[in-house]
Amino acid sequence: MPIPATWSARLLSVMRIVVALVFFSHGVSKLFGLPPFPYPMTPLLYVAGVLEVVGGGLLIVGLFTRPVAFVLSGMSAIAYFLDHAPQGPFPIANDGEAAVLYCFVFLYLAAAGGGAWSVDAGRGQR
């Protein structure tokens, strides 16, 4: 039995929250070492960590969803091409699956918005 279309806006919110929580955890790992980040921190990784914590936090609550998701989509694309693509063209082989998925999920959120359960929806922004 298919899920009713009337649930779409709420399920969009659930997807936004879950993806943002996992993305947020990447930044917490980089900036606060919880759990410890396994690579040496570079200035670019500090920038990524700040974007992950701030952007992830904003997406968790659904505030400024479209512009934040657009920026994070670009950040994820840059992460893929700078870190993963040089190791080979296939995401499964270069450990770039997460970066690709974040890129396109955030691109979708930039177009679709935050869903029914977001601060943006409460403020009347579509």
Side-chain angles (χ1 to χ4, degrees):
M1 169 153 52
I3 297 173
T6 56
W7 292 15
S8 293
R10 288 173 283 222
L11 288 174
L12 173 62
S13 293
V14 170
M15 182 189 68
R16 183 199 79 241
I17 292 165
V18 170
V19 169
L21 280 168
V22 177
F23 193 73
F24 180 84
S25 72
H26 285 275
V28 169
S29 176
K30 285 180 183 83
L31 296 179
F32 305 111
L34 300 168
F37 188 67
Y39 305 105
M41 290 297 289
T42 64
L44 197 55
L45 286 174
Y46 280 109
V47 171
V50 169
L51 286 171
E52 289 163 350
V53 167
V54 174
L58 288 169
L59 287 183
I60 289 168
V61 298
L63 181 61
F64 306 121
T65 301
R66 291 174 189 265
V68 169
F70 185 76
V71 169
L72 296 182
S73 176
M75 186 202 97
S76 298
I78 290 168
Y80 179 79
F81 285 108
L82 287 182
D83 190 45
H84 301 284
Q87 299 172 32
F90 303 109
I92 193 73
N94 65 23
D95 291 327
E97 306 99 324
V100 171
L101 287 172
Y102 283 129
C103 178
F104 284 95
V105 169
F106 291 147
L107 189 61
Y108 176 71
L109 289 174
W117 299 329
S118 67
V119 173
D120 290 340
R123 294 173 50 208
Q125 296 181 347
R126 301 197 82 202

